Amino acid sequence: MTCKTHICVRNLDVYYGKEQALKNITVNIPEKKITVIIGPSGCGKTTLLKSFNRLIDLTDGVRYTGEILVDNENILDPKIELTAIRKKMGLLSQRPCPLPMSIYDNVAYGPRIHGIKKKKQLDSIVEYHLKEVGLWEEVEKRLKEPASMLSVGQQQRLCFARGLAVEPEIILGDEPTSALDPMSSKRIEEKFLELKSKYTIVVVTHILRQAKRLADYVLFLYFGELIEHGPAAQIFENPQQELTREYMKGIIS
Ligand code: ADP
Ligand code: MG
């Protein structure tokens, strides 16, 4: 696969206290593709994803060494400006967490913080991103209602729209469909596939079938180590490592 690298991870070690959650991870994440991180529970998937936007900093006792270059800037550098990194990356978490405000205000929240005040402009931003996640038709007549009135699946798409409204370059998803019913999950997956022409997408999943549907590139993590990574066809059809083969066959989980 010839493509540009967007996130370049070099010798990343992450510790929670004495426990090492990631061990010397080195990998290039391709631009405008879907990279899927797979591996059993507790193997460091969330930790890796949260390193990308420095959300791991919020954990007490966390330490890390190594480099993560995004657009040639080492985002692990203590001097880096965190708001700028986080603006570049939208995170979709396991459960939707809409802000306690209206549907409209959830999407307008980020753009307002970034200084957009004109109602007309906000209206069109809100409409654009609600359409981008396939929610517009379901909510266009009730934009003033609290976001909490929506179903969980709709809330997740709303959170997705809220993330996209700050115009990130990278979308991070941490098991973003795990709280959703099959129909809602399918819609999120479809949106990822549509949006990869515009964004670099990194998704954590422990559902192998979902990984196969989404992935262009795959990282297989096992107890903090990156066992194998490569184009999806290679990892799924012809893995080089015994551990990867066992994981694919469901022998280890
Ligand atoms: P995954 O997302 O693959 O389930 P995580 O990245 O959440 O894995 O966790 C990796 C390892 O780090 C696990 O052993 C977990 O117990 C540990 N860990 C995760 N978060 C914390 C934390 N806040 N404090 C201490 N240990 C943690
Ligand atoms: Mg996790």
Side-chain angles (χ1 to χ4, degrees):
M1 189 161 61
T2 50
C3 48
K4 262 180 82 184
T5 293
H6 201 162
I7 306 172
C8 173
V9 185
R10 291 284 169 269
N11 306 109
L12 177 67
D13 287 311
V14 177
Y15 299 82
Y16 295 111
K18 286 203 179 84
E19 193 198 344
Q20 187 165 8
L22 290 177
K23 298 172 186 164
N24 198 28
I25 307 292
T26 293
V27 67
N28 290 340
I29 308 272
E31 183 178 55
K32 293 187 181 161
K33 304 271 179 211
I34 301 182
T35 295
V36 172
I37 305 175
I38 57 170
S41 181
C43 69
K45 303 183 297 298
T46 297
T47 302
L48 183 58
L49 204 68
K50 283 185 171 173
S51 307
F52 294 159
N53 65 359
R54 293 273 301 273
L55 266 186
I56 44 165
D57 290 32
L58 301 179
T59 309
D60 280 339
V62 78
R63 274 189 308 122
Y64 43 80
T65 57
E67 286 187 338
I68 300 177
L69 302 170
V70 179
D71 301 325
N72 291 320
E73 194 173 33
N74 179 19
I75 60 127
L76 295 186
D77 187 332
K79 292 193 290 289
I80 204 100
E81 211 208 312
L82 282 181
T83 34
I85 301 172
R86 296 201 180 130
K87 188 177 182 304
K88 259 186 206 178
M89 304 190 205
L91 175 72
L92 204 55
S93 43
Q94 275 175 297
R95 302 199 147 267
C97 40
L99 303 168
M101 49 181 77
S102 71
I103 295 168
Y104 182 100
D105 288 341
N106 261 272
V107 185
Y109 185 82
R112 278 184 178 132
I113 287 182
H114 292 104
I116 298 171
K117 292 195 182 74
K118 289 202 188 99
K119 180 163 182 312
K120 252 196 158 161
Q121 198 181 352
L122 285 170
D123 286 353
S124 73
I125 289 172
V126 169
E127 180 173 342
Y128 180 86
H129 293 291
L130 286 172
K131 282 183 174 163
E132 207 176 16
V133 300
L135 189 60
W136 176 249
E137 281 163 22
E138 291 158 62
V139 301
E140 64 176 313
K141 296 203 172 65
R142 48 198 281 220
L143 293 171
K144 296 268 154 59
E145 281 180 27
S148 56
M149 304 281 279
L150 298 173
S151 72
V152 176
Q154 289 171 326
Q155 286 184 19
Q156 188 67 320
R157 276 179 285 145
L158 178 67
C159 292
F160 198 3
R162 187 181 74 207
L164 294 176
V166 295
E167 300 186 340
E169 295 171 11
I170 298 169
I171 298 168
L172 306 173
D174 191 359
E175 306 196 19
T177 65
S178 62
L180 308 186
D181 60 85
M183 247 346 264
S184 303
S185 302
K186 188 162 171 269
R187 300 194 72 162
I188 294 272
E189 284 186 17
E190 284 166 359
K191 289 300 153 193
F192 281 153
L193 290 167
E194 276 171 42
L195 292 171
K196 72 175 178 180
S197 57
K198 290 201 275 180
Y199 305 92
T200 297
I201 302 178
V202 188
V203 187
V204 167
T205 183
H206 64 258
I207 309 163
L208 213 47
R209 273 172 300 151
Q210 180 173 62
K212 288 181 181 172
R213 288 193 293 268
L214 290 178
D216 297 303
Y217 201 80
V218 180
L219 317 188
F220 172 53
L221 282 179
Y222 195 70
F223 288 105
E225 285 183 55
L226 182 57
I227 303 297
E228 189 163 356
H229 61 96
Q234 182 198 311
I235 302 289
F236 292 131
E237 284 153 34
N238 189 21
Q240 304 299 302
Q241 300 297 323
E242 189 58 32
L243 266 176
T244 320
R245 282 195 284 274
E246 290 183 358
Y247 183 74
M248 298 297 172
K249 286 190 199 140
I251 297 171
I252 53 169
S253 60

